[in-house]
Amino acid sequence: METSELLKKVRHIEIKARGLSRNIFAGQYHSAFKGRGMAFSEVREYQYGDDMRDIDWNVTARYNRPYVKIFEEERELTVMLLIDVSESLGFGSSEKIKRDTVAEIAATLAFSAIQNNDKIGVIFFSDKVEKFIPPKKGRKHILFIIREILGFEPESAGTDINLALRYMTNAIKKRCTTFLISDFIDTGDYKPALRIANRKHDIVAIQVYDKLSTRLPSVGLMKVKDPESGGEMWIDTSSGNVRNHYAKWWLDRQADMMLTFKQSSVDNVSVSTEDDYAKALLLLFQRRR
């Protein structure tokens, strides 16, 4: 992508994402993703019913009477975007490819986080961890992230969600909210890694898909190619059996993915490239309130 074209797209997404985060998600994001940590605030004298574990023994010894620590919820969050950059995201049958929708969703979440005074970081992954951008604050940091999302060229073509989750779990020590944005076209088993990651952090899964992926059109012989493996084959889409078999594969795959999210207690939403992703995110936020 040419530099001038990239800057134009960055500016377009910045305007759109910033508008959504200010006008539509104002307050929704704050309510949906509250700080989970507890920070020390002050001490006060012990009162009947206080938890003995909260006694500050140093202050108690100094004043010769019991004092307890008062904690308050930490408002500041660390937000991580775990972004799939595999080759399958380059597919699209409408005006936008899946990668475009991923970029807009990621930018909207980034602006929502920064307006809430949260840190934001990114992990780009394929079947390897392609790049890690540590969490920081500030508009300059956000624009750098958006430029990377739009212009990033992965070294590998495949998808390994398991690897990406394990890397994030080990790299981010403090509890964070992680948005896993992917089409979830992955033949590997990422369920154990998802469960472990969601125990330590707060994982939210966002699936981006193309509606043509849900069904085969009847257009006769069609040559199809797997963008990640490079494999090619001819299929007869005029065959009802072929189309039905494919439709069943898609439904079974979606059901398995949803079961994985449910068993891992992971909030999730699925967004088509033709859908209004702002509405889908808003519904997700409202479910979490």
Side-chain angles (χ1 to χ4, degrees), residues 5-278:
E5 182 185 354
L6 176 60
L7 291 175
K8 186 177 179 181
K9 291 193 74 172
V10 168
R11 182 60 178 160
H12 171 75
I13 287 185
E14 178 193 4
I15 292 171
K16 184 174 182 179
R18 189 167 55 185
L20 287 171
S21 60
R22 281 181 178 173
N23 302 324
I24 297 179
F25 300 140
Q28 299 287 340
Y29 172 93
H30 180 94
S31 300
F33 304 100
K34 297 177 180 178
R36 302 298 181 91
M38 302 301 289
F40 171 73
S41 176
E42 58 182 334
V43 295
R44 63 162 169 78
E45 284 196 58
Y46 176 85
Q47 296 175 3
Y48 178 77
D50 285 338
D51 192 331
M52 295 288 290
R53 291 172 296 182
D54 291 337
I55 289 179
D56 188 320
W57 294 107
N58 291 329
V59 177
T60 295
R62 189 182 311 145
Y63 291 100
N64 208 26
R65 55 184 182 273
Y67 277 78
V68 293
K69 296 178 181 179
I70 304 300
F71 295 87
E72 62 182 14
E73 186 180 57
E74 286 183 312
R75 180 52 256 162
E76 179 185 287
L77 286 175
T78 296
V79 176
M80 290 300 300
L81 302 177
L82 201 50
I83 301 178
D84 185 351
V85 291
S86 62
E87 284 299 313
S88 62
L89 272 295
F91 177 76
S93 61
S94 59
E95 293 181 2
K96 289 193 293 187
I97 61 174
K98 287 185 283 186
R99 188 170 290 120
D100 292 337
T101 301
V102 167
E104 292 191 17
I105 290 173
T108 300
L109 293 170
F111 273 106
S112 296
I114 218 72
Q115 287 180 25
N116 203 53
N117 201 36
D118 295 334
K119 293 179 181 178
I120 183 87
V122 180
I123 295 173
F124 295 104
F125 73 93
S126 54
D127 54 6
K128 60 183 280 186
V129 173
E130 298 276 354
K131 186 168 187 175
F132 172 46
I133 302 176
K136 288 174 61 177
K137 296 182 182 181
R139 180 175 177 273
K140 185 177 180 181
H141 181 62
I142 291 293
L143 294 180
F144 170 69
I145 286 175
I146 294 174
R147 284 197 299 270
E148 287 296 298
I149 291 171
L150 291 173
F152 189 79
E153 294 291 338
E155 294 180 0
S156 196
T159 306
D160 192 336
I161 296 172
N162 173 67
L163 175 69
L165 285 166
R166 287 194 287 111
Y167 180 90
M168 190 276 300
T169 302
N170 293 327
I172 308 299
K173 303 303 180 185
K174 181 182 177 182
R175 182 178 176 86
C176 73
T177 293
T178 298
F179 294 96
L180 173 56
I181 312 174
S182 174
D183 56 10
F184 290 90
I185 298 177
D186 185 352
T187 57
D189 181 13
Y190 54 86
K191 186 185 297 182
L194 187 61
R195 283 179 175 173
I196 293 170
N198 199 45
R199 289 195 198 109
K200 182 178 179 181
H201 302 292
D202 178 18
I203 310 295
V204 180
I206 302 176
Q207 181 197 29
V208 175
Y209 68 96
D210 188 287
K211 286 187 177 178
L212 188 60
S213 299
T214 68
R215 71 207 186 293
L216 285 176
S218 180
V219 292
L221 282 175
M222 177 189 291
K223 188 177 184 180
V224 294
K225 179 179 179 179
D226 184 331
E228 298 192 3
S229 69
E232 296 180 345
M233 65 181 297
W234 287 91
I235 57 174
D236 183 8
T237 62
S238 62
S239 167
N241 286 335
V242 170
R243 295 197 306 275
N244 291 338
H245 181 77
Y246 181 87
K248 184 179 183 303
W249 169 82
W250 171 263
L251 291 174
D252 289 346
R253 180 181 166 279
Q254 287 294 103
D256 185 62
M257 180 189 70
M258 295 303 294
L259 181 61
T260 294
F261 294 153
K262 183 178 180 180
Q263 292 177 341
S264 304
S265 300
V266 168
D267 288 331
N268 63 89
V269 68
S270 293
V271 184
S272 161
T273 54
E274 298 175 26
D275 289 342
D276 181 355
Y277 66 83

